Amino acid sequence: GESVGLHLPTLSVQEGDNSIINCAYSNSASDYFIWYKQESGKGPQFIIDIRSNMDKRQGQRVTVLLNKTVKHLSLQIAATQPGDSAVYFCAENRGSRGQNFVFGPGTRLSVLP
Amino acid sequence: DSGVTQTPKHLITATGQRVTLRCSPRSGDLSVYWYQQSLDQGLQFLIQYYNGEERAKGNILERFSAQQFPDLHSELNLSSLELGDSALYFCASSVASAVQNEQFFGPGTRLTVL
């Protein structure tokens, strides 16, 4: 597959450790946020979402935290596995009527054996 | 496999030309979205269609246009191509038009403008 964003910030973690990927967003009016995972040569894949009236949401092995005060979003992956290696994007919806998602630059997660 | 198909997988063309990218959504999905992913600008939302009608517009250039047909497949037309239009173009689909409806992305079309 082809790589996207060859010069993305990279987070390297040991297999089995927890990963934390951070994202800063810019629009205080954004009301909905999504984390996507993109593996090499594939399209983005939905991981988890959160509305602006929440500060935490948990899924299977993943947790998203939202801090509206500092406009910060994080994705925590528990017990990171080799299959988690990918580029992770946050997206904020800035649309006041309907969709207008703005995506972060992405972070490459590399899981070490 | 997300169930969204895109053709062609790769496209190489010259500046000034026009191309059409095609997307077939997942069975039952009424909304189609187009995105551009480039090295310098990252992933950008271009446009959304719902059941044949334009629903939302993002950073889509005037040289670009899209439509969704009665059978719900969609086409993205790119004209007067420039070198900077070289990118991955993704189509996504969702069951309805709400922001919270999960979008399923296709494998993308890689456009190279020479």
Side-chain angles (χ1 to χ4, degrees), chain A residues 4 8 19 21 33-49 60-62 75 77-91 103-111, chain B residues 2 37 43 90 102-107:
Chain A
V4 173
L8 289 175
S19 304
I21 301 171
F33 304 85
I34 300 177
W35 277 101
Y36 284 98
K37 172 186 180 183
Q38 186 174 20
E39 296 175 276
S40 183
K42 296 184 179 179
Q45 179 185 2
F46 173 94
I47 300 174
I48 191 168
D49 59 356
Q60 187 177 10
R61 277 203 311 119
V62 294
L75 176 71
I77 304 174
T80 312
Q81 302 169 359
D84 295 327
S85 293
V87 175
Y88 290 80
F89 296 94
C90 66
F103 292 81
T107 296
R108 186 179 305 280
L109 176 65
S110 179
V111 181
Chain B
S2 66
Q37 187 172 43
L43 193 59
F90 288 106
E102 182 177 344
Q103 295 180 32
F104 295 85
F105 283 74

Side-chain angles (χ1 to χ4, degrees), chain B residues 35-104:
Chain B
Y35 295 86
Q36 180 195 60
Q37 187 172 43
S38 62
L39 285 176
D40 57 344
Q41 297 202 27
L43 193 59
Q44 293 193 90
F45 165 64
L46 297 178
I47 198 163
Q48 175 196 4
Y49 279 80
Y50 174 71
N51 206 19
E53 300 289 327
E54 182 183 305
R55 181 57 65 103
K57 224 169 185 176
N59 296 327
I60 188 165
L61 300 172
E62 285 192 10
R63 300 183 286 109
F64 296 180
S65 65
Q67 54 184 326
Q68 185 180 27
F69 295 87
D71 67 352
L72 301 177
H73 91 272
S74 178
E75 293 181 354
L76 178 67
N77 300 297
L78 314 176
S79 61
S80 303
L81 284 167
E82 303 175 359
L83 295 177
D85 297 326
S86 295
L88 271 165
Y89 290 84
F90 288 106
C91 169
S93 73
S94 64
V95 62
S97 63
V99 167
Q100 294 83 1
N101 292 139
E102 182 177 344
Q103 295 180 32
F104 295 85

